[in-house]
């Protein structure tokens, strides 16, 4: 008896805009049914086997269906663009006013850096300005971590530019000092020139080594996973030994960490072939569509540009609404509501940029999975089409899911700032912060899987989340998505490439005689530059692999038959390892 979950149709399914052969006349999912959901079975037999072969289980099951080309969750895309417009307007209007006032103050010699330092962090700021408002601003800025660095950097930049302009209006009595400053500037220029050369070399090395790491990951995935587990055991063992010489509490913590690490390795050791096969498949898909790396690396520049724009908008808005003058003397308290929305803007945009890449990877891997001819080259149609969908028809869904996480993240930051500045209520605020942190982790975890369906089929955000939950519920693979073996290896590779790049940068700096201060400082600076560049670029590339792993899990649950037809060797390995890892939950 045919279940009403299906809408029998002779039309072939379309995945990523390409018609997929439907030789088995698989039925298509009926989204209008009241109990619709990915993973609903037509019969009580095992899923996704039309022929009824006992070895593979037999039976049919529902799977995702590519949606008509339409813009989903449009209201959230409109809100996102509107908020960008507001932030740009604040930066243009308030930023120009702040700059002119600070520049005028610097030209007149009315304080400059001294006032700024007292406002942003000094203990006597309250006495200097005679107002508790400045202390409130100072405390909030000092406790905001990265945001504090942004605020101070922006104000420092404006003050420096203003002071530079003022120095060029001085009379000839300052010419001697100008010559001395010019000599110091030339010395600084040499440092900057060497640093830029080192950055360029480190970038090239990191790109080459990280790309080679993909090949290593494909060929030696099992070895890398085992090495990562054993390395963690060794590291925690050393920590436990060292903690014995500190205190009884530290020793207890160290021994506990060691026991937990050993037990974790024991439990997951049987999953290593499964995790390795997933990594191999996902890495192969990414390497076959290496053009994804262009969008991933480009997102780094977009994030840096957004940080700079947000920095100007945030500082200038606080400056104007706080009634500040060119000496950073403010009359009003910073509006907590305004600060919250500014933080929301910052986190929301960052989430959107990251999730656009995640959705692009999901769509590209889907194309490689179902139609490899359209997704097996550096600049394949799958890469281009998937990116275009993520910034057009699926952009509203991305904005929707990203907004939910950003609200939690901004709220957590506000409570953290409040907790650190308040003398009382610390316990309740700490509990609230922990609760929001847990909710944020849950929401990010949910988004990771929901956006896979957004990229694969073009669902709305709500439909994608519902389909992912139903899929893993029906297939009985809920425990699979808790596996962290793949991500641990990707993190280890990022650190390893960072160390390699740092050592090469250090060697180049020594050979070329690059100087960034004293001898010890030069070595540390060169290594640090190479390490950071290598780790950041490799982490960016490995993020693509992580997204591809999530997509592979969903695709294999959805369409193992297509995988067998298009990538038989990988499919055979996948079938074997998944059956070994979860024999009671795998029926293909």
């Amino acid at each position: 008896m045919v279940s009403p979950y299906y809408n029998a149709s002779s039309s072939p399914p379309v995945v990523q805009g390409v018609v997929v052969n439907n030789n088995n006349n698989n039925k298509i999912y009926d989204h209008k049914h009241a109990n619709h959901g990915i993973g609903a079975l037509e019969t009580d037999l095992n899923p996704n086997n039309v022929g009824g072969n006992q070895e593979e289980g037999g039976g049919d099951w529902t799977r995702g269906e590519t949606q008509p080309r339409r813009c989903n969750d449009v209201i959230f895309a409109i809100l996102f663009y509107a908020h960008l417009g507001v932030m740009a307007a604040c930066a243009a209007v308030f930023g120009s006013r702040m700059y002119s006032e600070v520049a005028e103050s610097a030209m007149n010699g009315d304080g400059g850096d001294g006032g700024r330092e007292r406002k942003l962090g000094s203990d006597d700021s309250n006495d200097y300005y005679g107002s508790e408002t400045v202390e409130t601003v100072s405390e909030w800025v000092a406790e905001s971590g990265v945001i504090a660095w942004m605020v101070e950097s922006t104000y420092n930049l404006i003050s420096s530019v203003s002071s530079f302009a003022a120095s060029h209006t001085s009379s000839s009595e300052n010419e001697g000092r100008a010559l001395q400053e010019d000599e110091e500037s030339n010395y600084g220029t040499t440092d900057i020139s060497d640093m830029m050369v080192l950055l360029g070399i480190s970038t090239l090395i990191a790109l080459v080594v990280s790309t080679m790491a993909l090949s290593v990951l494909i060929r030696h995935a099992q070895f890398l996973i085992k090495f990562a587990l054993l390395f963690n055991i060794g590291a925690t063992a050393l920590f436990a030994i060292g903690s014995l010489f500190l205190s009884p509490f530290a020793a207890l913590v160290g021994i506990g960490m060691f026991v937990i690490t050993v037990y974790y390795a024991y439990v997951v050791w049987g999953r290593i072939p499964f995790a390795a096969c997933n990594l191999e498949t996902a890495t192969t898909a990414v390497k076959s569509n290496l053009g994804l790396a262009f969008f991933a690396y480009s997102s780094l520049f977009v994030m840096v540009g957004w940080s700079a724009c947000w920095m100007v908008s945030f500082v200038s808005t606080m400056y104007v609404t706080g009634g500040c003058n060119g000496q950073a003397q403010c009359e009003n308290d910073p509006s907590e509501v305004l600060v919250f929305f500014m933080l929301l803007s910052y986190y929301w945009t960052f989430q959107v940029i990251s999730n656009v890449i995640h959705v692009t990877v999901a769509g590209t891997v889907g194309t490689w999975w179902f139609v490899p001819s359209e997704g097996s080259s550096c600049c394949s149609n799958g890469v281009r089409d998937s990116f275009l969908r993520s910034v057009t028809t699926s952009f509203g869904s991305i904005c929707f899911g990203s907004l939910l996480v950003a609200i939690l993240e901004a709220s957590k930051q506000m409570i953290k700032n409040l907790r650190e500045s308040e003398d009382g209520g610390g316990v309740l605020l700490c509990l609230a912060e922990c609760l929001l942190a847990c909710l944020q982790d849950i929401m990010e975890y949910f988004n990771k899987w929901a956006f896979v369906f957004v990229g694969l089929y073009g669902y709305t955000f709500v439909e994608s989340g519902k389909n992912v939950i139903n899929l893993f519920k029906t297939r009985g693979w809920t425990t699979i998505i808790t596996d962290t073996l793949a991500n641990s290896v990707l993190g280890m590779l990022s650190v390893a490439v960072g160390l390699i790049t740092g050592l090469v940068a250090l060697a180049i700096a020594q050979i070329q005689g690059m100087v960034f201060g004293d001898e010890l400082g030069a070595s540390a600076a060169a290594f640090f530059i190479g390490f950071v560049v290598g780790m950041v670029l490799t982490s960016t590339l490995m993020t693509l692999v992580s997204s591809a792993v999530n997509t592979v899990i969903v695709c294999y649950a959805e369409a193992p038959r297509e995988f067998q037809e298009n990538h038989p060797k990988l499919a055979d390995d996948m079938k074997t390892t998944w059956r070994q890892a979860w024999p009671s939950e795998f029926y293909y």
Side-chain angles (χ1 to χ4, degrees):
M1 178 179 178
V2 177
S3 168
Y5 283 45
Y6 287 92
N7 176 22
S9 173
S10 59
S11 301
V14 180
V15 178
Q16 299 299 317
V18 180
V19 176
V20 179
N21 292 331
N22 194 27
N23 298 328
N24 295 314
N25 196 25
N26 293 338
K27 301 178 178 63
I28 304 302
Y29 180 67
D30 186 4
H31 293 272
K32 296 182 180 180
H33 191 274
N35 296 323
H36 76 281
I38 296 297
L41 301 181
E42 179 184 10
T43 71
D44 293 330
L45 298 176
N46 294 326
N48 199 27
N49 194 325
V50 178
N53 189 317
Q54 185 63 30
E55 178 184 355
E56 297 182 356
D60 291 336
W61 71 294
T62 60
R63 68 178 183 182
E65 175 185 315
T66 296
Q67 302 300 289
R69 285 293 184 93
R70 63 174 183 270
C71 294
N72 296 323
D73 301 314
V74 180
I75 184 63
F76 295 97
I78 295 175
L79 285 175
F80 181 78
Y81 285 124
H83 113 272
L84 289 183
V86 171
M87 295 297 290
C90 290
V93 177
F94 296 156
S96 60
R97 173 179 167 180
M98 181 180 71
Y99 175 80
S100 62
E101 293 182 2
V102 173
E104 183 180 357
S105 176
M107 294 280 285
N108 296 331
D110 292 337
D113 291 342
R116 175 183 63 81
E117 291 174 358
R118 281 188 288 270
K119 174 182 182 302
L120 290 177
S122 69
D123 295 333
D124 62 342
S125 59
N126 187 40
D127 295 334
Y128 180 79
Y129 293 116
S131 171
E132 295 182 358
T133 301
V134 176
E135 183 177 357
T136 302
V137 176
S138 176
E139 289 177 354
W140 184 86
V141 169
E143 294 162 358
S144 298
V146 175
I147 298 173
W149 173 80
M150 292 180 174
V151 172
E152 188 167 357
S153 299
T154 302
Y155 204 97
N156 186 29
L157 177 62
I158 295 175
S159 299
S160 299
V161 173
S162 302
S163 299
F164 177 80
S167 66
H168 281 69
T169 62
S170 302
S171 60
S172 59
E173 63 182 5
N174 297 321
E175 289 181 359
R177 184 177 62 184
L179 290 175
Q180 182 180 359
E181 291 177 352
D182 184 61
E183 292 177 358
E184 295 176 354
S185 175
N186 289 335
Y187 177 77
T189 302
T190 302
D191 286 353
I192 294 175
S193 177
D194 288 344
M195 185 176 296
M196 295 304 295
V197 171
L198 204 58
L199 280 172
I201 295 175
S202 299
T203 300
L204 291 176
I205 294 172
L207 291 175
V208 173
V209 176
S210 60
T211 304
M212 293 172 59
L214 293 179
S215 299
V216 174
L217 194 57
I218 293 174
R219 292 180 174 86
H220 306 288
Q222 282 202 45
F223 170 78
L224 291 174
I225 294 175
K226 292 178 181 179
F227 179 83
L229 287 174
L230 295 176
F231 178 82
N232 290 336
I233 293 175
T236 53
L238 291 176
F239 178 79
I241 294 173
S243 64
L244 295 175
F245 301 95
L246 298 178
S247 67
F249 177 76
L252 183 63
V253 172
I255 295 174
M257 291 179 59
F258 174 73
V259 171
I260 292 174
T261 304
V262 172
Y263 178 73
Y264 172 77
Y266 170 77
V267 171
V268 303
W269 197 264
R271 299 185 182 184
I272 290 178
F274 154 76
C277 194
N278 272 276
L279 268 177
E280 180 183 352
T281 302
T283 307
T284 302
V286 171
K287 192 175 180 182
S288 299
N289 297 273
L290 206 53
L292 289 169
F294 169 78
F295 295 107
Y297 293 139
S298 298
S299 70
L300 295 178
F301 293 99
V302 175
M303 288 179 178
V304 172
W306 163 244
S307 297
C309 294
W310 182 88
M311 194 190 316
V312 173
S313 180
F314 176 79
V315 175
S316 60
T317 301
M318 295 298 103
Y319 177 92
V320 173
T321 58
C324 304
N325 57 24
Q327 299 179 46
Q329 300 175 11
C330 302
E331 300 176 355
N332 305 320
D333 290 329
S335 171
E336 293 184 358
V337 174
L338 183 58
V339 170
F340 172 79
F341 280 107
M342 297 296 285
L343 290 174
L344 180 63
S345 170
Y346 183 76
Y347 293 130
W348 190 13
T349 305
F350 254 79
Q351 286 287 328
V352 168
I353 295 171
S354 300
N355 289 327
V356 162
I357 302 301
H358 181 52
V359 171
T360 301
V361 174
T364 303
V365 173
T367 303
W368 173 85
W369 189 280
F370 291 99
V371 194
S373 61
E374 296 291 327
S376 296
S377 63
C378 181
C379 300
S380 64
N381 292 333
V383 175
R384 296 194 302 269
D385 293 345
S386 297
F387 177 75
L388 289 176
R389 281 191 302 275
S390 67
V391 295
T392 53
T393 56
S394 297
F395 190 70
S397 300
I398 295 174
C399 293
F400 185 8
S402 301
L403 177 60
L404 298 178
V405 174
I407 291 174
L408 294 173
E409 197 168 1
S411 300
K412 183 184 70 175
Q413 182 65 45
M414 292 294 293
I415 290 179
K416 179 181 178 181
N417 295 334
L418 183 62
R419 178 176 61 83
E420 294 176 349
S421 61
E422 291 287 338
D423 293 333
V427 176
L428 293 178
L429 291 175
C430 183
L431 291 175
E433 183 182 349
C434 291
L435 176 61
L436 286 174
C438 292
L439 291 175
Q440 179 186 338
D441 291 340
I442 293 172
M443 194 67 231
E444 288 178 341
Y445 190 70
F446 176 84
N447 281 0
K448 179 173 67 174
W449 296 101
F451 285 137
V452 169
F453 267 77
V454 171
L456 283 174
Y457 301 113
Y459 287 116
T460 65
F461 178 74
V462 173
E463 290 174 339
S464 297
K466 187 185 303 182
N467 290 335
V468 169
I469 292 173
N470 289 337
L471 169 66
F472 285 102
K473 269 187 177 180
T474 304
R475 304 310 292 270
W477 291 352
T478 306
T479 56
I480 293 178
I481 58 179
T482 62
D483 201 290
T484 59
L485 290 174
N487 286 330
S488 65
V489 172
L490 299 179
M492 183 186 69
L493 281 178
S494 299
V495 174
V497 174
L499 291 174
I500 293 173
T501 309
L503 292 175
V504 173
L506 175 59
I508 293 174
Q510 294 292 334
I511 294 173
Q512 297 297 323
M514 297 180 179
V515 179
F516 304 102
D518 56 22
E519 184 176 354
L520 179 61
S523 300
F527 177 81
F528 180 76
I529 290 172
F531 177 78
V532 171
V533 170
M535 191 173 69
V536 169
L537 292 180
T538 307
S539 297
T540 303
L541 187 61
M542 294 304 157
T543 300
L544 301 178
V545 179
S546 179
S547 298
V549 168
N550 302 142
T551 309
V552 165
I553 292 176
V554 172
C555 284
Y556 197 61
E558 289 262 280
R561 186 180 297 277
E562 286 79 356
F563 188 46
Q564 183 70 52
E565 294 174 354
N566 296 324
H567 308 279
K569 183 181 183 303
L570 290 172
D572 290 339
D573 294 340
M574 183 80 78
K575 181 188 296 186
T576 301
T577 57
W578 282 45
R579 183 175 288 163
Q580 290 174 353
W582 287 275
S584 62
E585 298 175 346
F586 190 85
Y587 303 105
Y588 297 137

